[in-house]
Amino acid sequence: MSLDRQRPAVLVTGIAGNLGRTLTKTLHKRERVIGIDRRPFPGRPKDVEMHELDLRKKKAEEVFRKNEIRAVIHQGIMHDPRMSAEEHHSFNVLGTTRILEYCAKYGVKKLVVLSSANVYGPSPDNSNFLTEDAPLMAASRFSGVRDLIEVDMLANGFFWRHPQVETVILRPVHVVGPNIKNAPSNYFRIRRPWVMAGFDPMIQLIHVQDAARAMIEALRPEPKGVYNVVGPGEVPLSAVHRELGRTPIPVPHPLARSALNLLFRYRLASFPSPELDHLQFLCAVDGARWVKEVGWKPSYSMRETIRSVVPDTAGT
Amino acid sequence: MFERLGDAVKQRMKRWTEGMIAPDQLPQLTAIARTENEYGVDPFGFSLEFALAAVAPLLWLYKFYFRVETHGVEKVPAGRVLLVANHSGQLPFDGAMIGVAMLTEATPPRAVRSMVEKWVPTLPYVSTVMARSGQIVGTPENCRRLLQAEEAIMVFPEGARGISKLWSQRYQLQEFGLGFMRLALETQTPIVPIGVVGAEEQAPALMDVKPLARLLGFPAFPITPTILPFPLPVKYHLHFGEPLTFQGLPDDEDAELEKKVKVVKGAVQQLIREGLRERKGVFF
């Protein structure tokens, strides 16, 4: 055990979240894992060292000082539309700034930052498949995602300024899974979901296990830079609803926006109205670069990925 | 319920299509669906099932209304290709008829893609119909990707200048854009010129009420004898020319590209001239 203490570790931020826990389940079998999160980590594997603290606090630096950290997986990014904009912004942007600072200061060799394909933003003039060099336009229609774009850009700047750290920025498509509570997974759990009348965009989903596997793949020495990560492909939104046996309610889009605004304000809905853009326009990406450089192949089929949002029918 | 109604209509339309094409063509048509996934769509959202239903009224127009005669469709090479034609008629039936010709008269049949305006994805229903029948937003990135996937793309380099031309300008090619030539050079794509004869007389526009067009955000507001630019039952002739290939730098100066575009424009003009000489009348 004392020998194991000396082994360089992989630090995971936001480890107590659903994606973090899924990631840890696989990762701790091959790496020494240290986790940071403000939340407790129930059911934590015994060999995972856990620090219940806020990234923005000075104490976080101690974790870097006291351990040899070989790699950092920074996926502790908050997406909570109910949180105050100020706290949301501070947690994501300041937290990321600190992590980047420590990576440079303590000679971390590999940094993996989990961004999202949502940074491009759904829009009527999007190409069908956006590549990594497409502009990050999401905030032009939805200011709530500004800090997510900022996190992505911070990591990008870091990639250029610190060539000694192999930085990987992953932009996966919508992550779904049995325990995932993000907007797309929650939306697909609604029995009678809204759809925008007359719109049926192609969407891309990735299973949470595949998203976790992508982060582990990113620890390999070859990948560097920004990568879109695509799951088993693309399907029309309506096909997902049909697969899940849903009965969607078509709502005219101008009406839907103002209605959802009201519902969100009075806490009758958990989706802010700009999310409706995802039901109306394309925000699909080209994952060819990631496929080529790490030989990526998702392990869940489209059908399995779609069905995974319903806990009963999912295997894992 | 709404969905079931939609499915029933789709099935009926599809049967209508199947009734209008030769039975030995059906298996070949089904082979187009090769890139579709288990949900019946390709990565761009094209669905053969949907396209075969949506094409029914166009196929009817092709056979019984415009009575299209297609000449030289066999000249279209396999693999990536740009189909470049003259544009006219106020409503884009010329594009639709070329699409039907490629689907029902080419061997093997091909589903032609065309590039639509950026406001199309903002239109309810229209956006979905367009996507499922293979029409894609005209970004250069999309075009490049489709050509690399060996698709056939239809281009009208005259754009809005062509489709909204007046009666007095019929069969006079308007200025050609250069974008298609850049893409052809970049992706080494052969260009097949097409002369469309007939469409230019389908909706004679006497004048274009420009202020009204601006007010409505339309490219033009034509006044035709039928008030709305409803097409007359003119007879269509589609003349496919020999494929042209070009060498050069895609980011060359405009003057260099213009020379190459002129060759294509000349070929289209020549096909139109021959077509006009051969035809017996506007309606027969």
Side-chain angles (χ1 to χ4, degrees):
Chain A
M1 261 335 248
S2 63
L3 240 174
D4 197 49
R5 276 254 150 259
Q6 302 308 311
R7 198 149 65 105
V10 176
L11 180 102
V12 179
T13 68
I15 197 167
N18 285 302
L19 183 54
R21 294 208 302 269
T22 309
L23 167 70
T24 309
K25 243 183 237 165
T26 322
L27 190 61
H28 85 108
K29 287 181 192 146
R30 31 174 131 159
E31 301 274 355
R32 188 181 143 215
V33 177
I34 300 179
I36 298 189
D37 204 310
R38 295 192 291 183
R39 304 161 289 186
F41 184 171
R44 164 175 62 95
K46 284 201 178 58
D47 56 352
V48 173
E49 188 184 320
M50 171 73 187
H51 297 269
E52 232 180 281
L53 50 83
D54 191 317
L55 278 182
R56 291 168 291 182
K57 297 280 156 57
K58 258 292 169 209
K59 262 194 152 172
E61 189 171 0
E62 247 170 66
V63 180
F64 282 84
R65 200 182 306 132
K66 289 189 178 155
N67 297 282
E68 193 191 342
I69 309 282
R70 96 171 174 85
V72 169
I73 299 181
H74 179 42
Q75 51 111 55
I77 291 152
M78 181 162 65
H79 309 251
D80 183 357
R82 287 282 177 215
M83 190 64 78
S84 87
E86 204 181 343
E87 170 62 8
H88 207 269
H89 197 265
S90 160
F91 182 83
N92 287 336
V93 176
L94 271 183
T96 302
T97 311
R98 292 279 172 274
I99 280 289
L100 298 179
E101 194 184 307
Y102 304 150
C103 282
K105 193 167 164 191
Y106 295 94
V108 172
K109 298 227 167 47
K110 184 104 209 182
L111 166 65
V112 179
V113 177
L114 183 71
S115 180
S116 153
N118 287 339
V119 291
Y120 302 110
S123 152
D125 40 7
N126 273 351
S127 289
N128 284 49
F129 297 94
L130 300 165
T131 49
E132 287 84 355
D133 50 9
L136 311 185
M137 298 299 284
S140 69
R141 300 172 69 103
F142 184 14
S143 63
V145 297
R146 235 177 10 215
D147 50 328
L148 307 182
I149 293 174
E150 208 164 321
V151 165
D152 189 292
M153 304 276 241
L154 279 172
N156 242 302
F158 184 84
F159 166 75
W160 293 108
R161 272 183 288 113
H162 298 275
Q164 80 283 7
V165 185
E166 296 164 4
T167 304
V168 176
I169 299 149
L170 297 181
R171 293 180 185 156
V173 298
H174 301 304
V175 177
V176 293
N179 303 308
I180 298 293
K181 299 206 175 58
N182 59 7
S185 303
N186 288 340
Y187 171 71
F188 288 126
R189 285 189 196 109
I190 303 172
R191 281 188 190 287
R192 304 213 58 195
W194 285 12
V195 289
M196 300 298 97
F199 292 93
D200 190 12
M202 299 293 283
I203 58 161
Q204 297 170 313
L205 305 172
I206 186 169
H207 193 283
V208 57
Q209 297 275 5
D210 277 326
R213 215 161 53 78
M215 288 191 276
I216 295 172
E217 291 282 332
L219 292 174
R220 282 164 40 176
E222 309 88 57
K224 285 180 203 80
V226 191
Y227 297 92
N228 294 331
V229 180
V230 175
E234 33 287 316
V235 281
L237 179 63
S238 60
V240 179
H241 287 315
R242 205 167 309 140
E243 181 69 52
L244 294 167
R246 304 289 186 230
T247 330
I249 309 168
V251 183
H253 62 100
L255 199 76
R257 253 158 252 273
S258 32
L260 190 56
N261 252 336
L262 268 173
L263 291 175
F264 184 72
R265 190 171 325 141
Y266 295 106
R267 303 192 164 254
L268 296 168
S270 53
F271 305 94
S273 71
E275 295 270 18
L276 291 175
D277 278 350
H278 280 288
L279 308 182
Q280 202 177 352
F281 305 125
L282 273 178
C283 179
V285 296
D286 177 353
R289 186 163 178 243
W290 181 245
V291 169
K292 196 168 141 237
E293 290 190 23
V294 301
W296 173 250
K297 223 179 156 270
S299 44
Y300 286 79
S301 72
M302 184 53 91
R303 189 151 282 146
E304 289 164 339
T305 304
I306 295 174
R307 290 196 175 164
S308 76
V309 302
V310 186
D312 316 348
T313 58
T316 39
Chain B
M1 195 211 89
F2 204 67
E3 193 176 276
R4 223 171 298 150
L5 187 73
D7 279 346
V9 172
K10 198 161 82 180
Q11 287 311 319
R12 281 195 66 164
M13 300 267 286
K14 203 179 152 212
R15 278 201 297 278
W16 186 15
T17 303
E18 285 164 359
M20 281 187 284
I21 50 180
D24 55 314
Q25 272 180 321
L26 268 178
Q28 282 195 327
L29 269 179
T30 340
I32 296 179
R34 70 193 188 286
T35 54
E36 291 182 4
N37 64 13
E38 68 228 85
Y39 293 94
V41 287
D42 82 351
F44 286 89
F46 170 79
S47 155
L48 182 68
E49 172 95 4
F50 186 95
L52 285 183
V55 82
L58 298 175
L59 185 52
W60 181 85
L61 286 174
Y62 185 94
K63 288 188 109 84
F64 304 111
Y65 193 79
F66 295 126
R67 298 145 291 137
V68 182
E69 270 181 36
T70 299
H71 315 268
V73 71
E74 69 285 349
K75 292 177 193 160
V76 179
R80 63 183 75 175
V81 63
L82 282 169
L83 306 175
V84 174
N86 54 318
H87 206 14
S88 63
Q90 311 306 330
L91 292 173
F93 287 105
D94 44 5
M97 292 305 114
I98 295 171
V100 173
M102 291 293 290
L103 197 63
T104 59
E105 308 227 15
T107 342
R110 297 189 67 174
V112 177
R113 311 283 192 152
S114 63
M115 309 309 263
V116 301
E117 294 282 345
K118 286 188 177 177
W119 50 265
V120 167
T122 66
L123 306 172
Y125 303 101
V126 177
S127 59
T128 311
V129 169
M130 288 299 195
R132 293 294 166 275
S133 49
Q135 319 306 303
I136 285 158
V137 178
T139 65
E141 172 63 31
N142 274 345
C143 201
R144 207 172 290 134
R145 199 174 282 277
L146 284 168
L147 291 175
Q148 276 156 2
E150 309 298 336
E151 299 274 359
I153 299 185
M154 187 157 25
V155 186
F156 295 106
E158 291 173 274
R161 293 181 295 275
I163 194 164
S164 55
K165 66 183 113 167
L166 301 176
W167 174 248
S168 58
Q169 296 166 303
R170 64 191 183 281
Y171 298 112
Q172 293 162 27
L173 291 179
Q174 306 297 303
E175 191 195 327
F176 270 37
L178 304 179
F180 79 94
M181 185 53 75
R182 278 184 219 286
L183 281 160
L185 292 172
E186 195 185 320
T187 55
Q188 311 256 304
T189 303
I191 294 174
V192 172
I194 302 174
V196 181
V197 172
E200 307 248 355
E201 284 114 345
Q202 78 187 19
L206 305 174
M207 61 182 293
D208 178 9
V209 191
K210 287 210 170 75
L212 202 54
R214 262 200 300 278
L215 193 70
L216 297 169
F218 292 172
F221 195 93
I223 299 291
T224 60
T226 48
I227 315 294
L228 289 171
F230 190 79
L232 303 172
V234 292
K235 187 169 174 66
Y236 265 53
H237 296 266
L238 306 178
H239 295 272
F240 288 73
E242 293 295 338
L244 305 164
T245 44
F246 295 90
Q247 305 292 331
L249 298 171
D251 47 3
D252 218 337
E253 279 175 44
D254 283 2
E256 283 304 307
L257 292 171
E258 268 162 23
K259 277 186 214 158
K260 299 186 172 85
V261 168
K262 225 175 200 168
V263 177
V264 181
K265 194 174 174 181
V268 174
Q269 189 76 70
Q270 182 61 25
L271 288 163
I272 293 173
R273 209 173 296 135
E274 286 168 12
L276 284 173
R277 202 181 316 126
E278 280 169 28
R279 78 167 173 180
K280 294 180 193 78
V282 176
F283 297 98
F284 304 100

